[in-house]
Amino acid sequence: MRPRGALALRFVLAAPLLWLLAFFVAPFAIVLKLSFSRAVTAQPPYEPTFTFADGLSGLIESGRQFTTESYALLFSDWLYLDAYVSSLRIAGLATLIALLIGYPLALAMSRAPPNWRARLIVLAIAPFWTSFLVRVYAWIVILKNEGLLNHALLGMGIISEPLQIFATEGAVLIGLVYAYLPFTVLPIFNALEKQDDALVEAALDLGATRVSAFWTVTFPLSLPGLYAGALLMFIPATGEFVIPDLLGGSGDLMIGRVLWSEFFSNRDWPMASAAACVLLCVLLAPLLLFERAQSREANT
Amino acid sequence: MSSSHPLLQLERLNKAFGKTVAVDDVSLEIAGGEFFALLGPSGCGKSTLMRLIAGFDTPDSGRILIDGRDVSADPPHKRPVNMMFQSYALFPHMNVAANIGFALKRRGEAAGVIASRVRDMLRLVRMEGFEERRPDSLSGGQKARVALARALAGEPKLLLLDEPLSALDRKLREEIQFELMQVQRDLGLSFLVVTHDQQEAIAMASRMALLREGAVAQVASPRQLYERPASRWVARFIGEANLLEARVRQVEACSVTLDVDGVMHSVEEAYHGLEPGAAVALCVRPERMVLHRERPLSGNVLSGEIVEIVYLGASVSWRVRCDNGLLVRVVSQSAIVEDGPVRGARVFVSYTPEAALVLRQ
């Protein structure tokens, strides 16, 4: 029985492993190799390229041509460092805002009558039925100087001059919060919904007010969902390209934009790859922290 | 002051959820130091009643008084009652000490006071040394003890216990049941337990209320409830009862003669206000009935045929189909009926005039 079970388990595990291998490990290996290459004006625009034409010695020879030039430049040019720092800052700020909006939303959803919850979840993910790009373009229409928002505010006499929101960091934040809010709401909702109602009742019974019952019981127990929601937003937001490119001004450099321009404008593939690899390492840090927190939670 | 009031007074409580009436005009009084049980089938409103007392739900009408003070409008945290939850509802992110100390911490007690109270509570439930453990590392019985300790730590005037034993297996259930009774006796505190398990209620409670469809069917001691049920429904719900539909023929000072399908039965007991001609039920418990091969010379007698014999270890249960079509159950001690009649045998069932009760409802 046992060997057969083990075999079956291997099959089950093989599918996600193959998937990871084909769509994560292999592309990443290519990017990693690119990042240690040298940009040239050629097709493809980097060298060395591996060919088996010269046999093994040719392979070794081309291996010698690997360089850390791109990384050296990456860490010496303030442009890149600035882009990383502002990416982390903007993504962090947007995540914070999304949590402040998303948590009460998730709380209200989890307290809604059961037959309403499913409808509210559908509403929360309804924006995904429209193309992401279309939705970002819609924000341009809303935010620009002669856009809907300014029009409405001017019409109501609240402002006398149009507000410059479009092409600012504010617009990028609005776009990020809007686009990733469902990713923060759903894990928090999930964590809140599965809590036993009796826990809050027990807290109330033992002398807690509604407010203190929330802070001593509901909130701490929802933290895993909150962390998951924060990560699900923070990680893609840090590398986001479309939103800063379309809604941000020319000064709002985020690393996603830098990557894009290195690849497509400068055709410096090694530089872009190096920037991508460093980004990955930067984003691994919060993931590892989350993992550690979870395993600590499980152990105590 | 407290001596002039019952500890808990429920005055004409009503509660409906939509069209469903959960609590229907319930009035009850529970004295200090009493172990009181609310018993009833599921959906009888006993849990709602407990939630009204705890303050998780508010009654549509009626009043709840604790120690003479109307708490009907108070939120749960202002009521001098604590609850042991059916699921125990231990806080999974806090250790045992923090769980037990929760109520005192909410009150702003000093850390030293809380720690010593937690120690006392753990000693009370025989769980010393478990301070640092997390709830999910405890066994079912240990969780129950911590839940009890947590509910008692705030020194409530009344402890509510919501199906406290339902999550435990049979052996553990008896053990925790015994401990609950012991703790209740030691502290002299009023316990109000909600349960659907009549054995549990009968074993633990000094007094109990039987609920049916939101209303109180009878309030009595377990013994009274079993031996003097107020209605056919109560008689059937508590233990087993043979109910013989009968018509009253003659009422005398200390006895009643009744017609059970043409056969006269007599019951020795004074019943006031019973009129000849009234339709009533005779209630006889299975262990008060006796099985005979020959027609007995005295007592009230039914004749019939054995349709089922179940050996239960200490006792034997017989099901007899009487000539009038009624099925009655007779329970005898195994030792007495070693060589009893077999299935299909013609038998006679008798009971004494003292063994029966006349039920008007």
Side-chain angles (χ1 to χ4, degrees), chain B residues 130-150:
Chain B
F130 278 76
E131 280 90 344
E132 301 297 323
R133 293 280 289 275
R134 290 274 177 150
D136 55 12
S137 72
L138 301 178
S139 71
Q142 290 169 337
K143 280 182 194 163
R145 291 199 183 95
V146 173
L148 177 65
R150 184 179 70 174

Side-chain angles (χ1 to χ4, degrees), chain B residues 38-237:
Chain B
L38 288 172
L39 175 67
S42 58
C44 71
K46 56 192 189 301
S47 292
T48 306
L49 197 54
M50 178 163 277
R51 294 175 59 81
L52 291 178
I53 299 167
F56 302 140
D57 286 322
T58 42
D60 298 335
S61 66
R63 294 201 308 163
I64 299 165
L65 293 97
I66 297 172
D67 240 353
R69 186 168 68 87
D70 186 354
V71 298
S72 312
D74 288 354
H77 68 271
K78 291 205 174 137
R79 299 188 184 198
V81 297
N82 283 134
M83 181 141 149
M84 180 176 164
F85 287 79
Q86 182 171 10
S87 61
Y88 306 137
L90 298 176
F91 304 126
H93 58 304
M94 297 178 193
N95 61 21
V96 166
N99 264 286
I100 297 175
F102 190 91
L104 298 177
K105 195 167 179 199
R106 289 294 107 209
R107 261 180 235 165
E109 298 281 359
V113 175
I114 297 175
S116 89
R117 179 81 181 151
V118 167
R119 261 197 310 281
D120 290 348
M121 287 296 109
L122 283 173
R123 193 177 312 122
L124 183 73
V125 297
R126 302 192 294 112
M127 290 271 290
E128 290 108 323
F130 278 76
E131 280 90 344
E132 301 297 323
R133 293 280 289 275
R134 290 274 177 150
D136 55 12
S137 72
L138 301 178
S139 71
Q142 290 169 337
K143 280 182 194 163
R145 291 199 183 95
V146 173
L148 177 65
R150 184 179 70 174
L152 290 171
E155 296 185 313
K157 289 180 176 167
L158 171 69
L159 185 75
L160 307 174
L161 304 98
D162 186 7
E163 302 269 6
L165 307 175
S166 65
L168 304 171
D169 58 48
R170 205 171 62 87
K171 201 163 158 43
L172 208 52
R173 200 175 298 175
E174 273 172 27
E175 193 183 317
I176 301 287
Q177 177 180 314
F178 176 74
E179 271 177 46
L180 285 176
M181 295 167 72
Q182 199 172 26
V183 166
Q184 192 268 336
R185 259 198 320 274
D186 289 353
L187 299 178
L189 191 66
S190 295
F191 275 31
L192 174 58
V193 63
V194 155
T195 177
H196 68 277
D197 184 330
Q198 49 171 298
Q199 293 304 331
E200 212 172 285
I202 288 172
M204 289 194 286
S206 50
R207 226 152 52 90
M208 55 203 274
L210 190 56
L211 295 179
R212 181 194 186 189
E213 287 165 11
V216 176
Q218 190 172 359
V219 182
S221 71
R223 191 181 192 110
Q224 274 181 313
L225 215 51
Y226 185 76
E227 293 180 1
R228 310 210 62 81
S231 67
R232 292 176 176 89
W233 186 82
V234 174
R236 269 198 215 101
F237 188 83

Side-chain angles (χ1 to χ4, degrees), chain A residues 72-118:
Chain A
L73 187 61
L74 196 64
F75 288 112
S76 59
D77 191 330
W78 280 105
L79 173 89
Y80 300 112
L81 289 175
D82 274 352
Y84 278 118
V85 170
S86 75
S87 288
L88 291 173
R89 183 177 54 80
I90 291 173
L93 201 56
T95 304
L96 197 69
I97 296 168
L99 289 177
L100 289 176
I101 299 172
Y103 198 97
L105 233 118
L107 192 65
M109 278 166 71
S110 70
R111 296 288 181 272
N115 54 336
W116 267 92
R117 280 180 214 162

Side-chain angles (χ1 to χ4, degrees), chain B residues 324-337:
Chain B
N324 62 7
L326 186 73
L327 272 176
V328 297
R329 222 161 88 84
V330 183
V331 172
S332 328
Q333 291 189 347
S334 299
I336 304 174
V337 292

